[in-house]
Amino acid sequence: QVQLVESGGGLVQPGGSLRLSCAAPGITLRNYQIAWVRQAPGKERERVGCISSGDGYSYYEDSIKGRSSISRDDGKNTVYLQMDSLKPEDTAVYHCVTAAGYRCEALIDWGPGTEVTVSS
């Protein structure tokens, strides 16, 4: 069974930055597409980005494009979501998810999530 563990969430002021991490004991993340999906209270879940297996090509939804980056450190077997210029509307629980298909359209195994709160 695939286990994913997110970390790095917390309380940050608007305009601040956070780097979320996704670790996966037991699997090699390089071999998987990984999506970042967020779930805000009262809202539908939103896939915000995706990194491909192998070459690590990243895709971003408009909601975070231009102020975020997804990367992978194969030596640490960890995927990162760096978010800058954070806004209150970025407040959500962020999950890393193994995925398949075009731009990670099929979401497969979920981590429990890490909570991000953007507030002054």
Side-chain angles (χ1 to χ4, degrees):
Q1 184 177 356
V2 173
Q3 289 186 315
L4 300 167
V5 181
E6 303 91 341
S7 61
L11 174 64
V12 62
Q13 292 187 340
S17 298
L18 279 177
R19 188 177 75 163
L20 307 183
S21 300
C22 172
I27 66 168
T28 301
L29 286 174
R30 179 181 174 84
N31 297 334
Y32 290 80
Q33 284 193 78
I34 300 295
W36 284 98
V37 180
R38 66 186 181 187
Q39 178 80 62
K43 296 184 178 180
E44 293 187 0
R45 71 186 188 193
E46 177 190 15
R47 184 193 59 209
V48 295
C50 173
I51 185 167
S52 67
S53 59
D55 63 7
Y57 174 80
S58 298
Y59 167 79
Y60 306 92
E61 296 290 343
D62 288 345
S63 57
I64 69 166
K65 189 181 295 182
R67 59 188 182 93
S68 301
S69 65
I70 299 173
S71 61
R72 189 182 65 227
D73 185 328
D74 292 339
K76 295 182 178 180
N77 198 37
T78 302
V79 169
Y80 301 100
L81 171 62
Q82 174 73 40
M83 296 191 295
D84 302 317
S85 303
L86 283 161
K87 307 172 184 179
E89 51 263 45
D90 294 318
T91 295
V93 176
Y94 285 73
H95 303 266
C96 63
V97 189
T98 61
Y102 182 66
R103 291 178 176 173
C104 295
E105 61 182 348
L107 302 172
I108 305 172
D109 294 297
W110 292 66
T114 186
E115 188 168 4
V116 172
T117 302
V118 184
S119 175
S120 55

